[in-house]
Amino acid sequence: MPERTVTVACKVGLHARPAAVFVKKAKELPVPVTVAKDGGRPVNAKSMLAVMSLDVRGGERVTLAAADGEGAAAAVDELAELLETDLDG
């Protein structure tokens, strides 16, 4: 199971517009992906409500994980890159 921990670059964290951009990209991916705050339980990255419920703020670390399968590592890398970019700027 590919996994990667990243620091959220967006100052407002995963709220409103940045969360929508993240979830939209996750929905385009061919494998199930989860996102979790450090020490928290993972939630479905394709669910806007679940992602918003994490209350991730700018500068916090999250862990992305994808189910094994074709494109899993690429999916994690793509979402990690997105989170490491200021989606609000």
Side-chain angles (χ1 to χ4, degrees):
M1 174 181 282
E3 195 175 280
R4 190 159 154 199
T5 300
V6 297
T7 301
V8 176
C10 191
K11 290 172 199 66
V12 297
L14 276 179
H15 297 281
R17 191 177 109 49
V21 171
F22 175 79
V23 169
K24 181 176 186 279
K25 175 51 81 181
K27 286 181 178 179
E28 294 170 3
L29 300 171
V31 293
V33 180
T34 61
V35 59
K37 257 171 113 165
D38 265 358
R41 70 174 184 82
V43 301
N44 182 354
K46 298 180 183 196
S47 165
M48 183 70 169
L49 191 59
V51 170
M52 295 282 288
S53 75
L54 289 175
D55 192 32
V56 175
R57 313 216 176 226
E60 289 187 327
R61 294 172 59 78
V62 295
T63 300
L64 297 162
D68 287 328
E70 195 171 324
V76 168
D77 288 344
E78 228 176 299
L79 289 176
E81 214 172 282
L82 202 59
L83 292 178
E84 291 173 326
T85 305
D86 185 354
L87 299 173
D88 224 28

Coordinates of all heavy atoms in Angstrom, one line a residue:
M1 N 0.8 -1.2 0.0 CA 0.0 0.0 0.0 C 0.9 1.2 0.0 O 1.5 1.5 1.0 CB -0.9 0.0 1.2 CG -1.7 1.3 1.4 SD -2.8 1.3 2.9 CE -4.1 0.3 2.3
P2 N 0.9 2.0 -1.1 CA 1.7 3.2 -1.2 C 1.2 4.2 -0.2 O 0.0 4.4 0.0 CB 1.6 3.7 -2.6 CG 0.9 2.6 -3.3 CD 0.2 1.7 -2.3
E3 N 2.2 4.9 0.5 CA 1.8 5.9 1.5 C 2.8 7.0 1.5 O 4.0 6.8 1.2 CB 1.8 5.2 2.9 CG 1.1 5.9 4.0 CD 1.1 5.1 5.3 OE1 0.2 4.2 5.4 OE2 2.0 5.3 6.1
R4 N 2.3 8.2 1.8 CA 3.2 9.3 1.8 C 2.7 10.4 2.8 O 1.5 10.7 2.8 CB 3.3 9.9 0.4 CG 4.4 11.0 0.3 CD 4.8 11.1 -1.2 NE 5.3 12.4 -1.4 CZ 5.4 13.0 -2.6 NH1 5.0 12.4 -3.6 NH2 5.9 14.2 -2.7
T5 N 3.6 11.0 3.6 CA 3.2 12.0 4.5 C 3.7 13.3 4.0 O 4.9 13.4 3.6 CB 3.8 11.7 6.0 OG1 3.3 10.5 6.4 CG2 3.4 12.8 7.0
V6 N 2.9 14.3 4.0 CA 3.2 15.7 3.5 C 2.7 16.7 4.4 O 1.8 16.5 5.2 CB 2.6 15.9 2.0 CG1 3.2 14.9 1.1 CG2 1.1 15.8 2.0
T7 N 3.3 17.9 4.2 CA 2.9 19.1 5.0 C 2.0 19.9 4.0 O 2.3 20.2 2.9 CB 4.1 20.0 5.4 OG1 4.9 19.2 6.2 CG2 3.6 21.2 6.2
V8 N 0.8 20.3 4.5 CA -0.2 21.0 3.7 C 0.3 22.5 3.6 O 0.5 23.2 4.5 CB -1.6 21.0 4.4 CG1 -2.6 21.9 3.6 CG2 -2.1 19.6 4.5
A9 N 0.5 22.9 2.3 CA 1.1 24.2 2.0 C 0.1 25.3 2.1 O 0.4 26.5 2.4 CB 1.7 24.2 0.6
C10 N -1.2 25.0 1.8 CA -2.2 26.0 1.7 C -2.4 26.6 3.1 O -2.7 25.9 4.1 CB -3.5 25.4 1.2 SG -4.7 26.6 0.8
K11 N -2.4 28.0 3.2 CA -2.5 28.6 4.5 C -3.8 28.3 5.2 O -3.8 28.2 6.5 CB -2.3 30.2 4.3 CG -0.9 30.6 3.9 CD -0.9 32.1 3.6 CE 0.3 32.5 2.8 NZ 0.3 31.9 1.5
V12 N -4.9 28.2 4.5 CA -6.2 27.9 5.2 C -6.4 26.4 5.4 O -7.4 26.0 5.9 CB -7.4 28.5 4.4 CG1 -7.3 30.0 4.3 CG2 -7.5 27.9 3.0
G13 N -5.4 25.6 4.9 CA -5.6 24.2 5.1 C -6.5 23.6 4.1 O -6.7 24.1 3.0
L14 N -7.1 22.4 4.4 CA -8.0 21.8 3.5 C -9.5 22.2 3.8 O -10.3 21.4 4.4 CB -7.9 20.2 3.7 CG -6.8 19.6 2.8 CD1 -6.7 18.1 3.1 CD2 -7.0 19.9 1.4
H15 N -9.8 23.4 3.5 CA -11.1 24.0 3.7 C -11.6 24.6 2.4 O -10.8 25.1 1.6 CB -11.0 25.1 4.8 CG -10.6 24.5 6.1 ND1 -11.5 23.8 7.0 CD2 -9.4 24.5 6.8 CE1 -10.8 23.4 8.1 NE2 -9.6 23.8 8.0
A16 N -12.9 24.6 2.2 CA -13.6 25.2 1.1 C -12.9 24.9 -0.2 O -12.9 23.7 -0.7 CB -13.7 26.7 1.3
R17 N -12.4 25.9 -0.9 CA -11.8 25.7 -2.3 C -10.7 24.7 -2.3 O -10.7 23.8 -3.2 CB -11.4 27.1 -2.9 CG -11.1 27.0 -4.3 CD -10.8 28.3 -4.9 NE -9.4 28.5 -5.3 CZ -8.6 27.7 -6.0 NH1 -9.1 26.6 -6.4 NH2 -7.4 28.1 -6.4
P18 N -9.7 24.8 -1.5 CA -8.6 23.8 -1.5 C -9.1 22.4 -1.4 O -8.6 21.5 -2.0 CB -7.6 24.2 -0.4 CG -7.9 25.7 -0.2 CD -9.4 25.9 -0.5
A19 N -10.0 22.2 -0.5 CA -10.6 20.9 -0.2 C -11.3 20.4 -1.5 O -11.2 19.2 -1.9 CB -11.5 20.8 1.0
A20 N -12.1 21.3 -2.1 CA -12.8 20.9 -3.3 C -11.8 20.5 -4.5 O -12.1 19.5 -5.2 CB -13.7 22.1 -3.8
V21 N -10.7 21.2 -4.6 CA -9.7 20.9 -5.6 C -9.1 19.5 -5.3 O -9.0 18.7 -6.2 CB -8.6 22.0 -5.7 CG1 -7.5 21.6 -6.6 CG2 -9.2 23.3 -6.2
F22 N -8.8 19.3 -4.1 CA -8.2 18.0 -3.6 C -9.2 16.8 -3.9 O -8.8 15.8 -4.5 CB -7.8 18.1 -2.2 CG -7.3 16.8 -1.6 CD1 -6.0 16.4 -1.8 CD2 -8.2 16.0 -0.8 CE1 -5.6 15.2 -1.3 CE2 -7.7 14.8 -0.3 CZ -6.4 14.4 -0.5
V23 N -10.4 17.0 -3.5 CA -11.4 15.9 -3.6 C -11.7 15.6 -5.1 O -11.8 14.5 -5.5 CB -12.7 16.3 -2.9 CG1 -13.8 15.3 -3.2 CG2 -12.4 16.3 -1.3
K24 N -11.8 16.7 -5.9 CA -12.0 16.6 -7.3 C -10.9 15.7 -8.0 O -11.2 14.8 -8.8 CB -12.1 17.9 -8.0 CG -12.4 17.9 -9.5 CD -12.6 19.3 -10.1 CE -13.0 19.3 -11.5 NZ -11.9 19.1 -12.5
K25 N -9.7 16.0 -7.6 CA -8.5 15.2 -8.2 C -8.6 13.8 -7.7 O -8.4 12.9 -8.4 CB -7.2 15.9 -7.8 CG -6.0 15.2 -8.2 CD -5.9 14.8 -9.6 CE -5.5 15.9 -10.5 NZ -5.5 15.5 -11.9
A26 N -8.9 13.6 -6.4 CA -9.0 12.2 -5.8 C -10.0 11.4 -6.6 O -9.8 10.2 -6.8 CB -9.3 12.3 -4.3
K27 N -11.2 12.0 -6.9 CA -12.2 11.3 -7.6 C -11.8 10.9 -9.0 O -12.4 9.9 -9.5 CB -13.5 12.2 -7.7 CG -14.2 12.3 -6.4 CD -15.5 13.2 -6.5 CE -16.2 13.3 -5.2 NZ -17.4 14.1 -5.3
E28 N -10.9 11.6 -9.6 CA -10.4 11.2 -10.9 C -9.4 10.0 -10.9 O -9.2 9.4 -12.0 CB -9.7 12.4 -11.6 CG -10.6 13.6 -11.8 CD -9.8 14.9 -12.2 OE1 -8.5 14.8 -12.3 OE2 -10.4 15.9 -12.4
L29 N -8.9 9.7 -9.8 CA -7.9 8.6 -9.7 C -8.6 7.2 -9.7 O -9.7 7.0 -9.2 CB -7.1 8.8 -8.4 CG -6.4 10.1 -8.3 CD1 -5.8 10.3 -6.9 CD2 -5.3 10.2 -9.4
P30 N -7.9 6.2 -10.3 CA -8.4 4.9 -10.5 C -8.4 4.0 -9.2 O -8.9 2.9 -9.3 CB -7.5 4.3 -11.5 CG -6.2 5.0 -11.3 CD -6.5 6.4 -10.8
V31 N -7.9 4.5 -8.1 CA -7.8 3.6 -6.9 C -8.4 4.4 -5.7 O -8.4 5.6 -5.7 CB -6.3 3.2 -6.6 CG1 -5.8 2.3 -7.6 CG2 -5.4 4.5 -6.4
P32 N -8.8 3.6 -4.7 CA -9.3 4.3 -3.5 C -8.1 4.9 -2.7 O -7.0 4.3 -2.6 CB -9.9 3.1 -2.6 CG -10.1 2.0 -3.6 CD -9.1 2.2 -4.7
V33 N -8.3 6.1 -2.2 CA -7.2 6.8 -1.5 C -7.8 7.4 -0.2 O -8.9 7.8 -0.1 CB -6.7 8.0 -2.3 CG1 -5.6 8.8 -1.6 CG2 -6.2 7.6 -3.7
T34 N -7.0 7.3 0.9 CA -7.4 7.9 2.1 C -6.4 9.0 2.5 O -5.3 9.0 2.1 CB -7.4 6.8 3.3 OG1 -6.1 6.3 3.4 CG2 -8.4 5.7 3.0
V35 N -6.9 9.9 3.4 CA -6.1 10.9 3.9 C -6.3 11.0 5.4 O -7.4 10.8 5.9 CB -6.4 12.3 3.3 CG1 -7.8 12.7 3.4 CG2 -5.4 13.4 3.8
A36 N -5.2 11.2 6.2 CA -5.4 11.2 7.7 C -4.5 12.3 8.2 O -3.3 12.5 7.7 CB -5.0 9.9 8.3
K37 N -4.9 13.0 9.3 CA -4.1 13.9 10.0 C -3.1 13.0 10.8 O -3.4 11.9 11.2 CB -4.9 14.7 11.0 CG -5.2 16.1 10.5 CD -6.2 16.8 11.4 CE -5.6 17.9 12.2 NZ -6.6 18.8 12.8
D38 N -2.0 13.6 11.2 CA -1.0 12.8 12.0 C -1.7 12.3 13.2 O -2.3 13.0 14.0 CB 0.2 13.7 12.4 CG 1.4 13.6 11.5 OD1 1.3 12.8 10.6 OD2 2.3 14.4 11.7
G39 N -1.6 11.0 13.4 CA -2.2 10.3 14.5 C -3.7 10.1 14.5 O -4.3 9.5 15.4
G40 N -4.3 10.5 13.4 CA -5.8 10.4 13.3 C -6.2 9.3 12.4 O -5.4 8.6 11.8
R41 N -7.5 9.0 12.3 CA -8.0 7.9 11.5 C -8.1 8.4 10.1 O -8.5 9.5 9.8 CB -9.3 7.4 12.1 CG -10.5 8.3 11.9 CD -11.8 7.6 12.3 NE -12.9 8.5 12.1 CZ -13.5 8.7 10.9 NH1 -13.1 7.9 9.9 NH2 -14.5 9.5 10.7
P42 N -7.8 7.5 9.1 CA -7.9 7.8 7.7 C -9.4 8.0 7.2 O -10.3 7.2 7.7 CB -7.2 6.7 7.0 CG -7.0 5.6 8.0 CD -7.3 6.1 9.4
V43 N -9.6 8.9 6.3 CA -10.9 9.1 5.7 C -10.8 9.0 4.2 O -9.7 9.2 3.7 CB -11.6 10.4 6.1 CG1 -11.8 10.5 7.7 CG2 -10.8 11.6 5.6
N44 N -11.9 8.8 3.6 CA -12.0 8.7 2.1 C -11.6 10.0 1.5 O -12.3 11.0 1.7 CB -13.4 8.2 1.7 CG -13.5 8.1 0.2 OD1 -12.7 8.4 -0.6 ND2 -14.7 7.6 -0.2
A45 N -10.6 10.1 0.7 CA -10.1 11.3 0.1 C -11.1 11.8 -1.0 O -11.0 12.9 -1.5 CB -8.7 11.1 -0.5
K46 N -12.0 10.9 -1.4 CA -13.0 11.3 -2.5 C -14.3 11.8 -1.9 O -15.2 12.1 -2.6 CB -13.3 10.0 -3.3 CG -12.0 9.5 -4.1 CD -12.3 8.3 -4.9 CE -11.0 7.8 -5.5 NZ -11.2 6.9 -6.6
S47 N -14.3 12.0 -0.6 CA -15.5 12.5 0.1 C -15.2 13.9 0.7 O -14.4 14.1 1.6 CB -15.9 11.6 1.2 OG -16.9 12.3 2.1
M48 N -15.9 14.9 0.1 CA -15.7 16.3 0.6 C -16.0 16.4 2.1 O -15.3 17.0 2.8 CB -16.7 17.2 -0.3 CG -16.5 18.7 0.1 SD -14.9 19.3 -0.5 CE -15.2 21.0 -0.3
L49 N -17.1 15.8 2.5 CA -17.5 15.9 3.9 C -16.4 15.3 4.8 O -16.1 15.8 5.8 CB -18.9 15.2 4.1 CG -19.5 15.4 5.5 CD1 -19.8 16.9 5.7 CD2 -20.8 14.7 5.6
A50 N -15.9 14.1 4.4 CA -14.9 13.4 5.2 C -13.6 14.3 5.3 O -13.0 14.4 6.3 CB -14.6 12.1 4.6
V51 N -13.2 14.8 4.1 CA -12.0 15.6 4.1 C -12.1 16.9 5.0 O -11.2 17.2 5.7 CB -11.6 16.0 2.6 CG1 -10.5 17.0 2.6 CG2 -11.2 14.7 1.9
M52 N -13.3 17.6 4.9 CA -13.5 18.8 5.7 C -13.6 18.4 7.2 O -13.1 19.2 8.0 CB -14.8 19.4 5.2 CG -14.9 19.9 3.8 SD -14.0 21.5 3.6 CE -15.1 22.6 4.4
S53 N -14.1 17.2 7.5 CA -14.2 16.8 8.9 C -12.8 16.7 9.6 O -12.7 16.7 10.8 CB -15.0 15.6 9.0 OG -14.3 14.4 8.6
L54 N -11.8 16.5 8.8 CA -10.4 16.4 9.4 C -9.9 17.7 10.0 O -9.1 17.6 10.8 CB -9.4 15.9 8.3 CG -9.6 14.5 7.8 CD1 -8.6 14.3 6.6 CD2 -9.3 13.5 8.9
D55 N -10.5 18.8 9.5 CA -10.1 20.1 10.0 C -8.6 20.3 9.9 O -7.9 20.7 10.9 CB -10.6 20.3 11.5 CG -10.4 21.7 11.9 OD1 -10.6 22.6 11.1 OD2 -10.2 22.0 13.1
V56 N -8.0 20.0 8.7 CA -6.6 20.2 8.5 C -6.3 21.7 8.2 O -6.9 22.3 7.4 CB -6.2 19.3 7.2 CG1 -4.7 19.6 6.9 CG2 -6.4 17.9 7.5
R57 N -5.3 22.2 8.9 CA -4.9 23.5 8.8 C -3.5 23.6 8.1 O -2.8 22.7 8.0 CB -4.8 24.2 10.2 CG -6.0 23.8 11.0 CD -6.4 24.9 11.9 NE -7.6 24.5 12.6 CZ -8.7 25.3 12.7 NH1 -8.7 26.5 12.2 NH2 -9.8 24.9 13.3
G58 N -3.2 24.8 7.6 CA -2.0 25.0 6.9 C -0.8 24.7 7.8 O -0.8 25.0 8.9
G59 N 0.2 24.0 7.2 CA 1.4 23.6 8.0 C 1.3 22.3 8.7 O 2.2 21.8 9.2
E60 N 0.0 21.7 8.8 CA -0.1 20.4 9.4 C 0.3 19.3 8.5 O 0.2 19.5 7.3 CB -1.6 20.3 9.9 CG -1.9 21.1 11.1 CD -3.3 20.8 11.7 OE1 -4.2 20.5 10.9 OE2 -3.4 21.0 12.9
R61 N 0.6 18.2 9.0 CA 1.0 17.0 8.2 C -0.1 16.1 8.1 O -0.9 15.8 9.0 CB 2.2 16.4 8.8 CG 3.5 17.3 8.8 CD 4.6 16.7 9.6 NE 5.1 15.5 9.1 CZ 5.9 15.3 8.0 NH1 6.2 16.3 7.3 NH2 6.3 14.1 7.7
V62 N -0.3 15.5 6.9 CA -1.3 14.5 6.6 C -0.6 13.3 5.9 O 0.4 13.5 5.3 CB -2.5 15.0 5.8 CG1 -3.2 16.1 6.5 CG2 -2.0 15.5 4.4
T63 N -1.2 12.1 6.1 CA -0.7 10.9 5.4 C -1.7 10.5 4.4 O -2.9 10.3 4.7 CB -0.4 9.8 6.4 OG1 0.5 10.3 7.4 CG2 0.1 8.6 5.8
L64 N -1.2 10.3 3.2 CA -2.0 9.8 2.1 C -1.7 8.3 1.9 O -0.5 7.9 2.0 CB -1.7 10.5 0.8 CG -2.0 12.0 0.8 CD1 -1.3 12.7 -0.3 CD2 -3.5 12.3 0.6
A65 N -2.7 7.5 1.6 CA -2.5 6.1 1.3 C -3.5 5.7 0.3 O -4.6 6.1 0.2 CB -2.7 5.3 2.6
A66 N -3.0 4.8 -0.6 CA -3.8 4.2 -1.7 C -3.9 2.7 -1.6 O -2.9 2.1 -1.2 CB -3.3 4.7 -3.0
A67 N -5.0 2.1 -1.9 CA -5.1 0.7 -2.0 C -4.2 0.2 -3.1 O -3.9 0.9 -4.1 CB -6.6 0.3 -2.3
D68 N -3.6 -1.0 -2.9 CA -2.7 -1.6 -3.9 C -3.5 -1.7 -5.2 O -4.7 -2.1 -5.2 CB -2.2 -2.9 -3.4 CG -1.1 -2.8 -2.3 OD1 -0.4 -1.7 -2.3 OD2 -1.0 -3.6 -1.4
G69 N -2.8 -1.5 -6.3 CA -3.4 -1.7 -7.6 C -2.6 -0.8 -8.6 O -1.8 0.0 -8.2
E70 N -3.0 -1.0 -9.8 CA -2.3 -0.2 -10.9 C -2.6 1.3 -10.7 O -3.7 1.7 -10.5 CB -2.9 -0.7 -12.2 CG -1.9 -0.2 -13.3 CD -2.3 -0.8 -14.7 OE1 -2.8 -2.0 -14.7 OE2 -2.2 -0.1 -15.7
G71 N -1.5 2.0 -10.6 CA -1.6 3.5 -10.5 C -1.7 4.0 -9.1 O -1.8 5.2 -8.8
A72 N -1.6 3.1 -8.1 CA -1.7 3.5 -6.7 C -0.6 4.4 -6.3 O -0.8 5.5 -5.7 CB -1.7 2.2 -5.8
A73 N 0.7 4.1 -6.6 CA 1.8 5.0 -6.2 C 1.7 6.3 -6.9 O 1.9 7.4 -6.3 CB 3.1 4.3 -6.5
A74 N 1.3 6.3 -8.2 CA 1.2 7.6 -8.9 C 0.0 8.4 -8.3 O 0.1 9.6 -8.2 CB 0.9 7.3 -10.4
A75 N -1.0 7.8 -7.9 CA -2.2 8.5 -7.3 C -1.7 9.2 -6.0 O -2.1 10.4 -5.8 CB -3.3 7.5 -7.0
V76 N -1.0 8.5 -5.2 CA -0.5 9.1 -3.9 C 0.4 10.3 -4.2 O 0.3 11.3 -3.6 CB 0.2 8.0 -3.0 CG1 1.0 8.7 -1.9 CG2 -0.8 7.1 -2.5
D77 N 1.3 10.1 -5.2 CA 2.3 11.1 -5.6 C 1.5 12.4 -6.1 O 1.9 13.5 -5.8 CB 3.3 10.7 -6.6 CG 4.3 9.7 -6.0 OD1 4.4 9.6 -4.8 OD2 4.9 9.0 -6.8
E78 N 0.5 12.2 -6.9 CA -0.3 13.3 -7.5 C -1.0 14.1 -6.4 O -0.9 15.3 -6.5 CB -1.3 12.7 -8.5 CG -1.3 13.4 -9.8 CD -2.3 12.7 -10.8 OE1 -2.1 11.5 -11.1 OE2 -3.2 13.4 -11.2
L79 N -1.6 13.4 -5.5 CA -2.3 14.1 -4.4 C -1.3 14.8 -3.5 O -1.6 15.9 -3.0 CB -3.2 13.2 -3.7 CG -4.5 12.7 -4.4 CD1 -5.3 11.7 -3.6 CD2 -5.4 13.9 -4.8
A80 N -0.2 14.1 -3.2 CA 0.8 14.7 -2.3 C 1.3 16.0 -3.0 O 1.5 17.1 -2.3 CB 2.0 13.8 -2.1
E81 N 1.6 16.0 -4.2 CA 2.1 17.2 -4.9 C 1.0 18.3 -4.8 O 1.4 19.5 -4.6 CB 2.3 16.9 -6.4 CG 3.4 17.6 -7.1 CD 3.7 17.1 -8.5 OE1 4.3 16.0 -8.6 OE2 3.2 17.7 -9.4
L82 N -0.2 18.0 -5.0 CA -1.3 19.0 -4.8 C -1.3 19.6 -3.5 O -1.4 20.8 -3.3 CB -2.6 18.2 -5.1 CG -3.8 19.1 -5.5 CD1 -3.5 19.8 -6.8 CD2 -5.0 18.2 -5.7
L83 N -1.2 18.8 -2.4 CA -1.2 19.3 -1.0 C 0.0 20.2 -0.7 O 0.0 21.0 0.1 CB -1.3 18.2 0.0 CG -2.6 17.4 0.0 CD1 -2.6 16.3 1.0 CD2 -3.8 18.4 0.3
E84 N 1.1 19.9 -1.4 CA 2.4 20.7 -1.2 C 2.4 22.0 -2.0 O 3.3 22.7 -1.9 CB 3.6 19.8 -1.6 CG 3.8 18.6 -0.6 CD 4.9 17.7 -1.0 OE1 5.1 17.4 -2.2 OE2 5.5 17.1 -0.1
T85 N 1.3 22.3 -2.7 CA 1.1 23.5 -3.4 C 0.1 24.3 -2.7 O -0.9 23.8 -2.2 CB 0.6 23.1 -4.8 OG1 1.4 22.2 -5.4 CG2 0.5 24.4 -5.7
D86 N 0.3 25.7 -2.7 CA -0.7 26.6 -2.1 C -1.9 26.7 -3.1 O -1.9 27.4 -4.0 CB -0.1 27.9 -1.8 CG -1.0 28.8 -1.1 OD1 -2.2 28.5 -0.9 OD2 -0.6 29.9 -0.7
L87 N -2.9 25.9 -2.8 CA -4.1 25.9 -3.7 C -5.0 27.1 -3.6 O -5.9 27.3 -4.3 CB -5.0 24.6 -3.4 CG -4.3 23.3 -3.5 CD1 -5.2 22.2 -3.0 CD2 -3.9 23.1 -5.0
D88 N -4.7 28.0 -2.7 CA -5.5 29.2 -2.5 C -4.8 30.4 -3.0 O -5.3 31.5 -2.9 CB -5.8 29.3 -1.0 CG -7.2 29.7 -0.7 OD1 -8.1 29.4 -1.6 OD2 -7.5 30.4 0.3
G89 N -3.5 30.2 -3.5 CA -2.7 31.4 -3.8 C -2.6 31.7 -5.3 O -3.2 31.3 -6.2

